[in-house]
Amino acid sequence: MINEIISMNGYGAYVWSAFSFTLISFTALYFVTKLQLSKEQKRFASKFGSLNVEKARAARSQNINREILSNTSNI
Amino acid sequence: MFNSFKPNKIFAVTSKAPKYVLFLFIIILTIGLTEALILSPEDYKQSDVVRIMYVHVPAAWISLGIFSSLALLSIGSFIFKNKNFALIAKSLAPSGFVFNVIALVTGSIWGKPTWGTWWAWDARITSMLILALFYGMYLLAWKIYADKEQVIKVTSLIAILGVVNVPIIKFSVDWWNTLHQPASINILSTNTAIHPSMLVPLGIMTAAFALFSLLIFLMKYNTELIKVKNKGLDRL
């Protein structure tokens, strides 16, 4: 059964390479996108950390900024 | 009308959604791969090599769908002067490009045992290659132009010009004599040339691929929104 699945009636090299290429592309795209997202989140957190109290309070008044900060703490 | 879709309002949803979409994608993909590689029958003519269809066809469908969405969003961005449309389009493009490349590469792998060649300048393959070039130009334009107004104009123009190619891809098999067979599935009709035992795995794999493009879109869109907010912090 396993041998049949691997050999695919002699077409195993074609079938498995097509599926492997697809899954490798998915994995690469997922991790590149995730890396870009966490880089941007870290940049936001570091910029936010360098704000003075007044500016930080003004920035915190926006819901989206609070959401970004809460997500950054989960990285 | 578009107020409820403002980035500030939807970020709460888009920032939490990826983990649920990823979970659903893994489940659907596992079912799809089991169906495609083990449970679905082999083709009487092509034997097991037909299984490449389960990655090739959904990838082609989704890359075409995403490019059509880019064009619609670009037109919307011109008409409604809404920059969020451009941001959504920018976030959709990377997965569309990857799906386009997957369709070309898996098609090439499928071509060798069925047609005896890795590549042919056939109307469908050539028009898919042209679509990949439009995707490439679209993504490159976002990297090259620094001015926001200018980049939105240039990328919108690329998307609107490129979408002319979409019906050419779709009908190339009917208009020209190509190596590709005519469409086997018609969404406007119940008549399909594919047996349900192959149609079901194809549907499941398409759903999995659509979920993956949604996942990448959400992550990319969140990245773009945080970039905008980073610039906002600089201005404080």
Side-chain angles (χ1 to χ4, degrees):
Chain A
M1 167 85 177
I2 302 245
N3 282 343
E4 278 172 27
I5 292 170
I6 293 169
S7 80
M8 295 273 174
N9 282 320
Y11 294 110
Y14 299 107
V15 176
W16 289 109
S17 58
F19 276 78
S20 305
F21 180 81
T22 304
L23 296 179
I24 290 167
S25 305
F26 278 15
T27 312
L29 181 62
Y30 175 77
F31 282 109
V32 167
T33 313
K34 197 176 164 66
L35 193 75
Q36 288 171 343
L37 175 61
S38 61
K39 214 183 250 179
E40 230 29 74
Q41 282 173 323
K42 278 178 189 161
R43 191 176 293 159
F44 183 88
S46 107
K47 273 187 186 176
F48 198 91
S50 65
L51 293 176
N52 64 36
V53 181
E54 205 173 301
K55 284 179 178 174
R57 193 180 300 137
R60 228 175 233 288
S61 66
Q62 285 189 29
N63 285 344
I64 187 166
N65 289 342
R66 286 201 300 273
E67 285 283 344
I68 296 168
L69 285 174
S70 70
N71 286 325
T72 308
S73 60
N74 294 333
I75 296 174
Chain B
M1 178 182 159
F2 301 115
N3 277 354
S4 47
F5 293 105
K6 276 193 172 164
N8 285 345
K9 289 187 180 172
I10 59 171
F11 187 77
V13 177
T14 59
S15 63
K16 289 180 183 70
K19 56 186 171 198
Y20 301 109
V21 176
L22 177 65
F23 178 70
L24 201 61
F25 162 68
I26 291 170
I27 292 173
I28 305 283
L29 183 71
T30 309
I31 299 168
L33 286 175
T34 312
E35 282 275 354
L37 290 167
I38 302 166
L39 301 176
S40 71
E42 60 189 77
D43 184 65
Y44 80 103
K45 252 184 181 174
Q46 294 192 32
S47 184
D48 277 309
V49 83
V50 78
R51 295 181 198 281
I52 295 174
M53 170 180 74
Y54 302 120
V55 284
H56 173 72
V57 173
W61 281 345
I62 289 174
S63 72
L64 285 172
I66 290 178
F67 203 91
S68 307
S69 309
L70 294 191
L72 283 176
L73 287 160
S74 300
I75 294 167
S77 152
F78 266 135
I79 296 172
F80 300 108
K81 306 284 173 214
N82 187 330
K83 283 180 184 160
N84 195 30
F85 282 179
L87 218 57
I88 294 172
K90 185 186 179 186
S91 312
L92 277 169
S95 60
F97 178 67
V98 168
F99 278 118
N100 197 153
V101 171
I102 290 172
L104 284 171
V105 172
T106 56
S108 174
I109 296 170
W110 197 3
K112 183 64 184 165
T114 48
W115 301 330
T117 180
W118 296 103
W119 185 266
W121 292 101
D122 145 288
R124 169 70 58 92
I125 306 171
T126 308
S127 50
M128 275 305 278
L129 180 68
I130 291 169
L131 186 73
L133 294 177
F134 271 104
Y135 265 122
M137 284 193 287
Y138 184 90
L139 290 167
L140 213 60
W142 277 106
K143 293 239 178 273
I144 291 171
Y145 293 95
D147 180 62
K148 206 173 177 184
E149 299 289 334
Q150 200 180 11
V151 73
I152 291 175
K153 274 184 195 161
V154 171
T155 51
S156 298
L157 197 66
I158 294 170
I160 293 165
L161 283 177
V163 84
V164 175
N165 188 37
V166 172
I168 295 176
I169 296 170
K170 168 78 179 88
F171 296 108
S172 56
V173 288
D174 304 317
W175 293 343
W176 294 287
N177 203 4
T178 75
L179 286 169
H180 275 84
Q181 63 186 52
S184 306
I185 298 168
N186 184 353
I187 50 166
L188 301 172
S189 146
T190 49
N191 276 346
T192 62
I194 297 184
H195 192 266
S197 58
M198 288 180 167
L199 195 58
V200 170
L202 187 62
I204 297 171
M205 287 298 279
T206 306
F209 281 27
L211 278 170
F212 181 74
S213 63
L214 175 65
L215 172 70
I216 297 299
F217 160 71
L218 288 169
M219 289 165 69
K220 194 80 190 143
Y221 185 64
N222 290 337
T223 310
E224 293 303 323
L225 287 185
I226 298 171
K227 260 186 205 170
V228 172
K229 287 291 149 188
N230 267 332
K231 284 179 189 157
L233 287 186
D234 289 337
R235 284 195 294 267
L236 271 177

